[in-house]
Amino acid sequence: MSLRHALLGLVAYHPASGYDLMAIFRTSLAHVWPATQSQVYGELARLTDAELLAVTAQGPRGRKEFTITEAGRSELVRWVTDASVNGPHRNELLLHVFFLGVVDAGEARQYLARQAELATDRLELLRRLESSRSWDNEALGSYGRLALEHGLRLAAMERDWAEWAASQIGSAPTSSNGSSTTGPSGR
Amino acid sequence: MSLRHALLGLVAYHPASGYDLMAIFRTSLAHVWPATQSQVYGELARLTDAELLAVTAQGPRGRKEFTITEAGRSELVRWVTDASVNGPHRNELLLHVFFLGVVDAGEARQYLARQAELATDRLELLRRLESSRSWDNEALGSYGRLALEHGLRLAAMERDWAEWAASQIGSAPTSSNGSSTTGPSGR
DNA sequence: CATCACATGTAAAAGGTTACATGATTCT
DNA sequence: AGAATCATGTAACCTTTTACATGTGATG
């Protein structure tokens, strides 16, 4: 139930409306914790019901500004310092890799080379974001910088790994059903 | 809808029952694509309905052995070579990091130090798995090795990043101090 | 006065988790 | 005989995605 905590965290930094929060989910949090408008408005209502948030101002177009309550803040603090919180971690890239045996070595190598390119692009994008520094005068600034560095290191790691992985694949072709051959060079 | 493809991939390597497949989800795929028994049996039924899998043998306790069909195999090949497939990528660790500002610097540093320890433990676990080689005579062997290497590099990266991040805290309370000593390798 | 940005909501469907339920076979 | 393992399924609930639906206020 981390969307809840993402909302508490954002509102704790600064009171905001659902619309404001959506803008943050579309930008800063897009690659960390994606959420849809539908989800955000629903969860804000539930958080208000639970008295972890409160509506503290109304604006022009039915705008509601949410502020964190004391109960909300203590729940946030409890969650943020709990290192054991760690949901399951799905990786679609690795799922592909596991089953690369169904295609021949050439296609597998090509797939990995493409992943190396994509990681390079991500790295480039983050480097430009880092230079622009638009992120660091925002509310999430000082800690957002740490998250950005994580992204940079991850992209570099994936680029290097994908290049290495491509190089590991021998030219020994795999049969079309992959069940009998053990594949390329045994270690 | 990747559970579908995970099942197609596993059955393509070797015909299996739901029970057999669950054993793989609990071990090899646990950190790549978690799935519950409930999900697996349900999806196997749907895949059989869609004629991407077929029941090719019945065993002792109502056991049904599934085999991939031609249609199933071509769907799997299409998916596996499609580098554009990439679902949203949630990272609860980074979500914590974004909101570390709600606690004081000492607690934030402690949190990151704990994450460095946890990453070290994961690395150790994977190294032991690598030595044991139990994985490489299995169906997923040759490509599973590439996935394992990804895990090793990821764990090492997260350990280094968390140590670096912990060291960054406290040196500049509000403004950022831009330069990283141990940034990712450039090119 | 038209268009864009602001602003909030609901409904249906798909995907995922937890808990319950049942029974057969093998091993000690 | 009792326990562990093999084996499949269903029900309730929660989370996430996609699509629909509506209206206000500011700007050119």
Side-chain angles (χ1 to χ4, degrees), chain B residues 92-109:
Chain B
E92 200 155 2
L93 167 60
L94 291 186
L95 199 59
H96 276 77
V97 171
F98 266 111
F99 303 124
L100 234 28
V102 295
V103 296
D104 63 47
E107 279 186 276
R109 217 181 297 109

mmCIF file of all heavy atoms in Angstrom, chain B residues 92-109:
data_model
loop_
_atom_site.group_PDB
_atom_site.id
_atom_site.type_symbol
_atom_site.label_atom_id
_atom_site.label_comp_id
_atom_site.label_asym_id
_atom_site.label_seq_id
_atom_site.Cartn_x
_atom_site.Cartn_y
_atom_site.Cartn_z
ATOM 1 N N GLU B 92 10.245 0.817 -4.364
ATOM 2 C CA GLU B 92 9.842 1.258 -3.034
ATOM 3 C C GLU B 92 11.005 1.889 -2.260
ATOM 4 O O GLU B 92 10.820 2.822 -1.487
ATOM 5 C CB GLU B 92 9.249 0.086 -2.243
ATOM 6 C CG GLU B 92 8.392 0.539 -1.086
ATOM 7 C CD GLU B 92 7.349 -0.502 -0.671
ATOM 8 O OE1 GLU B 92 7.318 -1.606 -1.258
ATOM 9 O OE2 GLU B 92 6.566 -0.192 0.242
ATOM 10 N N LEU B 93 12.213 1.381 -2.508
ATOM 11 C CA LEU B 93 13.395 1.967 -1.863
ATOM 12 C C LEU B 93 13.524 3.452 -2.204
ATOM 13 O O LEU B 93 13.698 4.298 -1.321
ATOM 14 C CB LEU B 93 14.656 1.201 -2.314
ATOM 15 C CG LEU B 93 16.017 1.832 -2.008
ATOM 16 C CD1 LEU B 93 16.218 2.017 -0.506
ATOM 17 C CD2 LEU B 93 17.136 0.987 -2.605
ATOM 18 N N LEU B 94 13.404 3.773 -3.489
ATOM 19 C CA LEU B 94 13.544 5.171 -3.893
ATOM 20 C C LEU B 94 12.403 6.034 -3.375
ATOM 21 O O LEU B 94 12.584 7.217 -3.100
ATOM 22 C CB LEU B 94 13.665 5.286 -5.412
ATOM 23 C CG LEU B 94 14.959 4.739 -5.998
ATOM 24 C CD1 LEU B 94 15.028 5.035 -7.487
ATOM 25 C CD2 LEU B 94 16.175 5.307 -5.296
ATOM 26 N N LEU B 95 11.235 5.421 -3.226
ATOM 27 C CA LEU B 95 10.111 6.158 -2.668
ATOM 28 C C LEU B 95 10.446 6.579 -1.229
ATOM 29 O O LEU B 95 10.212 7.715 -0.828
ATOM 30 C CB LEU B 95 8.856 5.280 -2.709
ATOM 31 C CG LEU B 95 7.519 5.994 -2.605
ATOM 32 C CD1 LEU B 95 7.333 7.008 -3.718
ATOM 33 C CD2 LEU B 95 6.370 4.989 -2.633
ATOM 34 N N HIS B 96 11.033 5.665 -0.487
ATOM 35 C CA HIS B 96 11.490 6.002 0.860
ATOM 36 C C HIS B 96 12.478 7.158 0.814
ATOM 37 O O HIS B 96 12.369 8.123 1.564
ATOM 38 C CB HIS B 96 12.177 4.797 1.518
ATOM 39 C CG HIS B 96 11.240 3.831 2.168
ATOM 40 N ND1 HIS B 96 10.495 2.920 1.452
ATOM 41 C CD2 HIS B 96 10.909 3.629 3.462
ATOM 42 C CE1 HIS B 96 9.754 2.210 2.291
ATOM 43 N NE2 HIS B 96 9.997 2.609 3.520
ATOM 44 N N VAL B 97 13.446 7.037 -0.086
ATOM 45 C CA VAL B 97 14.496 8.048 -0.178
ATOM 46 C C VAL B 97 13.925 9.437 -0.446
ATOM 47 O O VAL B 97 14.336 10.416 0.173
ATOM 48 C CB VAL B 97 15.527 7.662 -1.270
ATOM 49 C CG1 VAL B 97 16.494 8.806 -1.542
ATOM 50 C CG2 VAL B 97 16.289 6.413 -0.844
ATOM 51 N N PHE B 98 12.947 9.504 -1.347
ATOM 52 C CA PHE B 98 12.328 10.788 -1.660
ATOM 53 C C PHE B 98 11.787 11.489 -0.419
ATOM 54 O O PHE B 98 11.795 12.707 -0.328
ATOM 55 C CB PHE B 98 11.169 10.606 -2.648
ATOM 56 C CG PHE B 98 11.568 10.803 -4.082
ATOM 57 C CD1 PHE B 98 11.598 9.726 -4.962
ATOM 58 C CD2 PHE B 98 11.909 12.065 -4.543
ATOM 59 C CE1 PHE B 98 11.962 9.911 -6.290
ATOM 60 C CE2 PHE B 98 12.272 12.270 -5.870
ATOM 61 C CZ PHE B 98 12.300 11.182 -6.747
ATOM 62 N N PHE B 99 11.327 10.693 0.540
ATOM 63 C CA PHE B 99 10.661 11.293 1.690
ATOM 64 C C PHE B 99 11.479 11.241 2.973
ATOM 65 O O PHE B 99 10.964 11.510 4.058
ATOM 66 C CB PHE B 99 9.282 10.653 1.881
ATOM 67 C CG PHE B 99 8.441 10.789 0.644
ATOM 68 C CD1 PHE B 99 7.895 9.679 0.027
ATOM 69 C CD2 PHE B 99 8.228 12.045 0.083
ATOM 70 C CE1 PHE B 99 7.147 9.815 -1.136
ATOM 71 C CE2 PHE B 99 7.481 12.190 -1.078
ATOM 72 C CZ PHE B 99 6.940 11.070 -1.681
ATOM 73 N N LEU B 100 12.726 10.940 2.843
ATOM 74 C CA LEU B 100 13.623 10.866 3.990
ATOM 75 C C LEU B 100 13.744 12.223 4.690
ATOM 76 O O LEU B 100 14.188 12.298 5.846
ATOM 77 C CB LEU B 100 14.997 10.376 3.509
ATOM 78 C CG LEU B 100 15.649 9.157 4.159
ATOM 79 C CD1 LEU B 100 14.674 8.154 4.737
ATOM 80 C CD2 LEU B 100 16.584 8.479 3.172
ATOM 81 N N GLY B 101 13.340 13.275 3.993
ATOM 82 C CA GLY B 101 13.363 14.613 4.583
ATOM 83 C C GLY B 101 12.453 14.787 5.790
ATOM 84 O O GLY B 101 12.621 15.733 6.552
ATOM 85 N N VAL B 102 11.515 13.882 6.001
ATOM 86 C CA VAL B 102 10.623 14.022 7.158
ATOM 87 C C VAL B 102 11.269 13.584 8.463
ATOM 88 O O VAL B 102 10.721 13.846 9.534
ATOM 89 C CB VAL B 102 9.258 13.270 7.008
ATOM 90 C CG1 VAL B 102 8.437 13.867 5.887
ATOM 91 C CG2 VAL B 102 9.449 11.778 6.843
ATOM 92 N N VAL B 103 12.407 12.891 8.380
ATOM 93 C CA VAL B 103 13.119 12.546 9.618
ATOM 94 C C VAL B 103 14.442 13.294 9.674
ATOM 95 O O VAL B 103 14.861 13.896 8.683
ATOM 96 C CB VAL B 103 13.352 11.013 9.759
ATOM 97 C CG1 VAL B 103 12.029 10.273 9.863
ATOM 98 C CG2 VAL B 103 14.194 10.478 8.608
ATOM 99 N N ASP B 104 15.104 13.279 10.819
ATOM 100 C CA ASP B 104 16.352 14.038 10.903
ATOM 101 C C ASP B 104 17.507 13.311 10.203
ATOM 102 O O ASP B 104 17.403 12.133 9.858
ATOM 103 C CB ASP B 104 16.697 14.385 12.361
ATOM 104 C CG ASP B 104 16.931 13.149 13.209
ATOM 105 O OD1 ASP B 104 17.662 12.248 12.761
ATOM 106 O OD2 ASP B 104 16.363 13.073 14.317
ATOM 107 N N ALA B 105 18.597 14.031 9.975
ATOM 108 C CA ALA B 105 19.727 13.513 9.204
ATOM 109 C C ALA B 105 20.278 12.208 9.768
ATOM 110 O O ALA B 105 20.620 11.290 9.011
ATOM 111 C CB ALA B 105 20.838 14.561 9.131
ATOM 112 N N GLY B 106 20.313 12.101 11.082
ATOM 113 C CA GLY B 106 20.831 10.890 11.717
ATOM 114 C C GLY B 106 20.009 9.665 11.351
ATOM 115 O O GLY B 106 20.560 8.632 10.982
ATOM 116 N N GLU B 107 18.703 9.807 11.434
ATOM 117 C CA GLU B 107 17.841 8.676 11.103
ATOM 118 C C GLU B 107 17.898 8.341 9.624
ATOM 119 O O GLU B 107 17.840 7.171 9.239
ATOM 120 C CB GLU B 107 16.399 8.980 11.516
ATOM 121 C CG GLU B 107 16.160 8.731 12.989
ATOM 122 C CD GLU B 107 14.691 8.897 13.361
ATOM 123 O OE1 GLU B 107 14.271 10.048 13.609
ATOM 124 O OE2 GLU B 107 13.966 7.874 13.388
ATOM 125 N N ALA B 108 18.018 9.371 8.798
ATOM 126 C CA ALA B 108 18.116 9.147 7.357
ATOM 127 C C ALA B 108 19.400 8.390 7.031
ATOM 128 O O ALA B 108 19.392 7.428 6.255
ATOM 129 C CB ALA B 108 18.084 10.485 6.618
ATOM 130 N N ARG B 109 20.507 8.815 7.652
ATOM 131 C CA ARG B 109 21.792 8.147 7.433
ATOM 132 C C ARG B 109 21.719 6.687 7.862
ATOM 133 O O ARG B 109 22.203 5.788 7.189
ATOM 134 C CB ARG B 109 22.892 8.880 8.210
ATOM 135 C CG ARG B 109 24.216 8.921 7.464
ATOM 136 C CD ARG B 109 25.318 9.630 8.242
ATOM 137 N NE ARG B 109 25.052 11.028 8.509
ATOM 138 C CZ ARG B 109 24.756 11.543 9.697
ATOM 139 N NH1 ARG B 109 24.669 10.768 10.785
ATOM 140 N NH2 ARG B 109 24.543 12.834 9.833
#
